[in-house]
Amino acid sequence: MRFGPASDLRVARETCVPPEKFVDMVQIDLHSPPGTTGLIPNAVIGRLSLYVRELQQLIRQNVETVNSDGLARPLGLTAAQVRKDLAYFGNFGLRGIGYRCGELLDRIRAILGTNQRWPVILVGAGNLGRALLGYRGFADHGYDFIAAFDNDPRKIGTHLAEQIPILNLESARKIVQTAGVRLAVVCVPTDVAQEVVDFLCASGIGGILNFAPVNVSAAKPVQIVNVDLAVELEQLSFAVVQRVRSS
Amino acid sequence: MRFGPASDLRVARETCVPPEKFVDMVQIDLHSPPGTTGLIPNAVIGRLSLYVRELQQLIRQNVETVNSDGLARPLGLTAAQVRKDLAYFGNFGLRGIGYRCGELLDRIRAILGTNQRWPVILVGAGNLGRALLGYRGFADHGYDFIAAFDNDPRKIGTHLAEQIPILNLESARKIVQTAGVRLAVVCVPTDVAQEVVDFLCASGIGGILNFAPVNVSAAKPVQIVNVDLAVELEQLSFAVVQRVRSS
DNA sequence: GTGTGTGAAAAACTTCACAGCT
DNA sequence: AGCTGTGAAGTTTTTCACACAC
């Protein structure tokens, strides 16, 4: 089965907003809050994602408004923490009422940049890569895989999930640039992870989510988040042997 | 292809130590350190896992000793942080030299309980579950999948990776108890995640690594770690739009 | 000299508690 | 009356800097 990369990609691209928009949206909302430095704590961002998930669930249940405790408790957080987190970005609540679920969801998505869809590329079409490509959560949060890259000649030219083309890694540069792709998910073997990351950085990618179990570093403006699944299991097994700390 | 669950499992079990041993090993090493409460910060445990990975890499390169800076820098941490983290558990270093890689690796593994292998069960044999089962990192860190569970009758009775049986979820209780399994990895659809977790808790599991994108809660002594892959991507996209914070 | 282990200082983050809006 | 937004207090975690050991 043959395909023309450019045309495959153009379709996916159409649904995506020019990335530059996001920057403005976020910066408008930032109202450098109470007694803080102006930088948003990393932990806050992690929790915003959790709020999104919880709000989506509430909305599915037709809940109109939720107060800080209602949002916090199912996530194992405190009401004060929720209010503080949201206050970093503005006054989203209604005193005496709480937060309108729909509105709050929109606001948080605007902050995270997920009120528009992001095109994402996958590098490494092995087991894990293929599973991630089918992972519902990514699509639910606004991320669309538009292409995959691999260096196995037997895979190149085929498609994943019947529509995502697997291309030669060399062609990633062009696609990153022409399709305005800013995010890449990397699932390649450990020993080539760093060179793949270097290549992506040189291609003008904005951020990399790395699943290879090795700490790779990225050239300056490129953001990198390393996910090591074994680390999570180790956290857990430590907690089990200790029987302390809730995590 | 038929199989007898009990015999399939016994083999995997043989390679595993009775879990009770771990508790002692860890508690002996804990020397409730400098000026602290005696509880180990969660973040420290996360970093111990990273040290393991880095040490494994150094050992593969035949590096004998490493100092705190050498361990910290590739992981994006500071030397002081490494020393402080390790000091929670004892004096592992040699002044003027650093740390012996092999010895430190053993020590950390003893702390994490991964100096012996752990039998793990997989619940939910969909795409993600199957990919996790093949994920190298788990085996590298001492975790062995011994069985998978699903409720799809077409899957039950088959094997994953040609040796891991897929069984009916009901049979999990018996296997947890007879094989001394303390850890489960859950990759089921969101809507059944909580009931699966409840079932596992009732079966006597020790800890659950949950990949379903919903916050599930576990009955008291059971530890739970939620991993939401979309959260990681959101962290990244926020960093990309902001171009701040290294994470 | 080199590099750990660790108190002390600083920074980051969380919780408290309450004024003030609806 | 109910619940947010936020200073202030409290706690945790990180960084600093140096005495001490090899």
Side-chain angles (χ1 to χ4, degrees):
Chain A
M1 189 186 280
R2 282 285 123 214
F3 59 93
S7 58
D8 275 72
L9 296 172
R10 195 143 329 115
V11 180
R13 207 283 152 97
E14 235 87 74
T15 65
C16 299
V17 146
E20 293 66 31
K21 283 240 181 100
F22 299 144
V23 178
D24 297 334
M25 290 188 288
V26 177
Q27 289 181 346
I28 286 164
D29 277 352
L30 272 168
H31 83 163
S32 262
T36 69
T37 60
L39 274 182
I40 310 299
N42 228 296
V44 172
I45 305 307
R47 286 193 298 265
L48 289 186
S49 295
L50 301 180
Y51 302 152
V52 167
R53 224 170 55 183
E54 191 64 25
L55 286 167
Q56 285 176 329
Q57 203 163 319
L58 290 168
I59 288 167
R60 271 197 299 273
Q61 295 161 14
N62 294 312
V63 177
E64 290 272 312
T65 65
V66 64
N67 65 26
S68 52
D69 187 61
L71 201 47
R73 197 179 297 267
L75 298 170
L77 308 171
T78 67
Q81 198 163 35
V82 168
R83 296 199 299 273
K84 201 83 167 187
D85 285 352
L86 298 177
Y88 277 99
F89 302 98
N91 298 4
F92 302 158
L94 305 166
R95 297 184 186 216
I97 309 284
Y99 303 86
R100 289 192 202 290
C101 296
E103 185 196 322
L104 183 58
L105 179 59
D106 289 345
R107 301 279 208 141
I108 298 178
R109 286 213 272 226
I111 295 160
L112 292 172
T114 51
N115 53 345
Q116 304 292 338
R117 303 196 71 80
W118 289 67
V120 181
I121 59 172
L122 173 72
V123 183
N127 277 329
L128 186 60
R130 290 200 305 269
L132 292 175
L133 199 131
Y135 180 63
R136 259 318 185 85
F138 289 146
D140 286 353
H141 287 247
Y143 301 98
D144 297 311
F145 285 99
I146 61 160
F149 299 89
D150 206 294
N151 62 3
D152 181 341
R154 287 167 306 178
K155 290 178 185 169
I156 293 172
T158 65
H159 288 66
L160 292 176
E162 271 140 52
Q163 53 172 333
I164 315 294
I166 303 183
L167 310 170
N168 184 304
L169 182 56
E170 265 62 51
S171 54
R173 166 180 246 121
K174 195 188 298 176
I175 283 160
V176 166
Q177 288 165 3
T178 61
V181 176
R182 302 180 75 184
L183 300 177
V185 172
V186 171
C187 306
V188 299
T190 306
D191 51 315
V192 295
Q194 183 64 60
E195 74 185 80
V196 164
V197 165
D198 291 343
F199 177 79
L200 289 170
C201 291
S203 301
I205 201 80
I208 295 170
L209 186 63
N210 171 46
F211 283 88
V214 59
N215 267 76
V216 292
S217 53
K220 203 52 210 293
V222 180
Q223 301 290 327
I224 192 149
V225 170
N226 291 293
V227 178
D228 188 334
L229 300 173
V231 168
E232 314 290 345
L233 244 187
E234 274 171 345
Q235 292 262 65
L236 182 64
S237 55
F238 179 78
V240 169
V241 295
Q242 292 294 301
R243 301 256 163 173
V244 286
R245 286 253 162 175
S246 59
S247 164
Chain B
M1 188 186 277
R2 284 284 122 213
F3 60 94
S7 58
D8 274 75
L9 296 172
R10 194 143 330 113
V11 179
R13 206 282 152 95
E14 233 89 76
T15 65
C16 300
V17 145
E20 293 67 34
K21 284 235 180 106
F22 298 144
V23 178
D24 297 335
M25 289 188 288
V26 176
Q27 290 183 344
I28 287 164
D29 277 351
L30 273 168
H31 84 162
S32 266
T36 71
T37 61
L39 273 181
I40 310 300
N42 228 294
V44 171
I45 305 307
R47 287 193 297 266
L48 290 186
S49 295
L50 301 180
Y51 302 153
V52 167
R53 222 170 57 183
E54 191 65 26
L55 287 166
Q56 285 176 328
Q57 201 165 318
L58 290 168
I59 289 167
R60 271 198 299 274
Q61 294 161 13
N62 294 313
V63 177
E64 290 272 314
T65 65
V66 63
N67 65 25
S68 52
D69 186 61
L71 201 48
R73 196 178 297 268
L75 298 170
L77 307 172
T78 67
Q81 199 163 34
V82 168
R83 296 200 300 273
K84 201 80 163 188
D85 285 351
L86 297 177
Y88 276 98
F89 302 97
N91 298 3
F92 303 157
L94 306 165
R95 298 184 184 216
I97 308 283
Y99 303 87
R100 288 191 202 292
C101 296
E103 184 196 324
L104 183 57
L105 179 59
D106 289 345
R107 299 278 208 144
I108 297 177
R109 285 215 272 226
I111 294 160
L112 292 172
T114 52
N115 52 347
Q116 304 292 338
R117 304 196 73 80
W118 289 67
V120 181
I121 58 171
L122 173 71
V123 182
N127 277 328
L128 185 60
R130 291 200 304 272
L132 292 175
L133 200 132
Y135 181 64
R136 260 317 187 82
F138 289 145
D140 287 353
H141 287 247
Y143 301 97
D144 297 311
F145 285 99
I146 61 160
F149 299 89
D150 206 296
N151 62 3
D152 180 343
R154 287 167 306 180
K155 291 178 183 167
I156 293 171
T158 65
H159 287 65
L160 292 176
E162 271 140 49
Q163 51 172 335
I164 314 294
I166 303 184
L167 310 171
N168 185 305
L169 182 56
E170 266 61 53
S171 54
R173 165 179 248 121
K174 195 188 297 177
I175 284 159
V176 166
Q177 288 165 3
T178 61
V181 175
R182 302 180 75 183
L183 299 177
V185 172
V186 170
C187 306
V188 298
T190 306
D191 52 314
V192 295
Q194 184 65 59
E195 75 185 82
V196 164
V197 166
D198 291 342
F199 177 80
L200 289 170
C201 291
S203 300
I205 201 79
I208 295 170
L209 185 63
N210 171 45
F211 283 87
V214 59
N215 268 77
V216 292
S217 53
K220 203 53 211 291
V222 180
Q223 301 289 327
I224 190 149
V225 171
N226 290 293
V227 178
D228 188 333
L229 301 174
V231 169
E232 314 290 346
L233 244 186
E234 275 171 344
Q235 292 262 67
L236 182 64
S237 53
F238 180 77
V240 169
V241 294
Q242 293 293 301
R243 302 254 163 176
V244 287
R245 287 252 165 175
S246 59
S247 164

